[in-house]
Amino acid sequence: MNPTPASTISRRPTVGALAALALAGLALPRSAVAQQPVEIAGRLLDASTGAPISAALVSIPALDISTLTNTDGAFHLVVPAGSHTFEIRHIGYGTRTTEVEAPDGTLSLEIRIEPAAIEVAPLEVDIEWRPSYLEQVGFYDRRAHGLGRFYDPEDIRRGGDPLIVGWRNLSESILTTNRAQLQQELFRTSGGGGLCEGPQILIDGRRDRVGLMTGLAHHRIGGVEVHGEPHKVPGLEPLIRAAGEDPFCPTIIVWTRQWLTAAELEERRIVLCEPGPITQRAPLVVEGTVTDALTGILLPRATVTAWITEPGGRRREKETTADDNGRFRFCDLDPRMDVSIWARFAGLSGDLAPVAPEPAPLAADTVPVMRDLAVPISRHGHVAGRVFDLRRGDPVPGAEIRLAAADAAPADAAPAPGDRGPPAEAGVRTTSDEHGLFAIPDLVPGDYRLTVSHPDAGVAADTIPVPSGSTVDVRVELDPTPPPAPDSASPAAGRRIVAERRHPRLVEVGFYERRRESAMRDRGHFFTPERIRALAPTRLTDLLTEVDGLGEICPRQTCRPVSRRARRCSHMSVYLNGALVMDGRAWNFDRGSVDDLAAPHEVAAIEVYLRSVSLPGEFTAPADRCGAIVIWSG
């Protein structure tokens, strides 16, 4: 190694003579032959300040000896007489080398070196800002389990992930795929997702009943969780159930920026325009609110368009945006023009509303024209149910069904002083028919209190959700004995009303209509998605044996379903998604069994008909004389 120019060395013989030697190449005279060991006493100093350098490594690599300087910069070595290469290392001074001639006797050295820059690996510091709001709702605790996908404020600022995008009007930087692609990806990555209507949306822990997710501005979203199988995430199932959703369905949870300070909220909010000063003619000012046509929920940041028709027939447009409270205002429209306004939200549009101001050409004050707009975001929901006697299992005809908004007073509650009668939200009443069936159509989406009673069978009550555009199936079991107290050890045991949202695909293939016909004629057995999940079978034949009158034969370690109700029959036909896949007349054991068709978690519903006379028209091929099993996959 070459000596470093920035260092100097002093050699001190015992006679006291000093010779300043540069480490940069001034070599001491070499001794031809080393006679005796030499004791070296040295001191290491800073060349500029003269301060001692401690903790420096002083070594002679050829002799494999080394020592460290003390707090005074001093070090001590014993070496053979002769020429030696010294190496000095220190974190602040780098590595220096020089050759020293060590004659017989004692050698005193004073070494001065200059500081040197040392190349070190860059220091990487990973700092994660965790908003307190996300910590409070358990966002980071759930993320630590490694299940699902999580997007914190920094992820969303960068644009997120294709899996969480899919809604228009959220942010052009995030929204790059459509909703159908999102659903397809969610269903592909989830085990039970195929049994669900679509991804459930929760905003700050509450159901997004009418599509408000589509109107959330980018800057209002602070965290997003995407779960294909929410029931597997520790601590998430209670949150989803509290929102009235299904923990077995794909779920997207959006946490809004509720942690913003008042100043930040003020900076980000939409400020409505103010009319300018009146000169010759007062401007036309139009203001109002944008709401969902059915529920009346205010739609934040909806787009409002004014169509302005000039006297010559030329049409032009002017747009504004509603604020976070759904309010909008146009401040400078021309009162001489024909004006109509309309609103759109989440890709849906409302009706045109004409604006007809009263003539006020020289008015001193501007009087706004009020026009409230509506967009048909939500659709009516429906309830269809059946009432059973818990003791006997028979349908209960003549049961009284009462349905009212969950936050409304009971229909039979005594009016408060000064009230003229029960509130308008008292709800509707109906009665179960001879088969225990009832239906309540055209309901505004929301939570409802369902109460079912019968003089002999008992009373049951619970709150059920009615989503937008969906039908909710309700199974009610009445028991004259009182249910367990809410604080009992197993309150679930007293649940006598089970509500289940209908699967849209099963609606399309007529599953629910056939089930209704079967209820009136007692001709089939139906397994819904909720029932399949509750039984949790390991194979399909475990599920099918729940049907009284259906068995299985396994002559070759491959089982086939057998109806014990059909005469002179042993083979049942099997349909998969409406197609005949196993012919009852020529059962081929080499092609496998029912269990080979699908796994239980892949099945959305099953229909079982034990006799040919009970088969619906679409399953009456010659092969079906012994009955049929119809499997619908998810």
Side-chain angles (χ1 to χ4, degrees), residues 537-582:
T538 58
R539 56 181 187 144
L540 289 185
T541 48
D542 294 336
L543 186 67
L544 295 174
T545 52
E546 291 284 325
V547 178
D548 186 20
L550 189 148
E552 60 179 349
I553 298 178
C554 309
R556 303 181 187 176
Q557 296 182 347
T558 301
C559 300
R560 69 169 184 257
V562 176
S563 172
R564 298 192 177 98
R565 301 287 176 84
R567 296 181 179 179
R568 296 185 298 276
C569 288
S570 59
H571 299 79
M572 298 180 69
S573 298
V574 180
Y575 289 78
L576 179 61
N577 295 328
L580 181 64
V581 293
M582 291 185 175

Side-chain angles (χ1 to χ4, degrees), residues 352-575:
L352 278 172
V355 178
E358 296 183 0
L362 299 176
D365 297 322
T366 301
V367 179
V369 176
M370 305 301 297
R371 286 292 183 274
D372 292 332
L373 304 176
V375 181
I377 299 297
S378 61
R379 295 173 295 160
H380 283 104
H382 316 280
V383 172
R386 197 176 188 192
V387 185
F388 292 90
D389 187 308
L390 181 62
R391 297 166 298 175
R392 300 192 302 265
D394 299 330
V396 177
E400 183 185 35
I401 291 93
R402 290 175 290 174
L403 191 70
D407 55 355
D412 52 0
D419 287 350
R420 298 181 179 180
E425 297 85 358
V428 294
R429 298 190 183 198
T430 188
T431 304
S432 61
D433 64 13
E434 57 182 316
H435 306 288
L437 298 169
F438 67 92
I440 304 176
D442 301 330
L443 296 168
V444 175
D447 292 333
Y448 287 85
R449 183 69 177 176
L450 176 65
T451 305
V452 182
S453 60
H454 188 275
D456 299 325
V459 179
D462 201 355
T463 299
I464 64 172
V466 179
S468 170
S470 298
T471 297
V472 177
D473 274 317
V474 179
R475 178 183 175 90
V476 182
E477 296 178 339
L478 296 181
D479 188 351
T481 61
D487 56 351
S488 63
S490 67
R495 188 182 181 195
R496 298 171 185 169
I497 296 180
V498 178
E500 176 185 5
R501 183 166 50 186
R502 285 186 174 180
H503 190 291
R505 181 166 178 269
L506 297 181
V507 173
E508 293 176 2
V509 299
F511 174 85
Y512 296 104
E513 186 61 30
R514 289 190 294 273
R515 188 182 64 168
R516 182 177 178 277
E517 291 291 328
S518 176
M520 294 185 292
R521 300 180 183 180
D522 192 22
R523 66 181 192 181
H525 302 265
F526 293 77
F527 292 89
T528 63
E530 182 76 15
R531 179 66 174 162
I532 294 173
R533 287 198 296 266
L535 293 174
T538 58
R539 56 181 187 144
L540 289 185
T541 48
D542 294 336
L543 186 67
L544 295 174
T545 52
E546 291 284 325
V547 178
D548 186 20
L550 189 148
E552 60 179 349
I553 298 178
C554 309
R556 303 181 187 176
Q557 296 182 347
T558 301
C559 300
R560 69 169 184 257
V562 176
S563 172
R564 298 192 177 98
R565 301 287 176 84
R567 296 181 179 179
R568 296 185 298 276
C569 288
S570 59
H571 299 79
M572 298 180 69
S573 298
V574 180
Y575 289 78

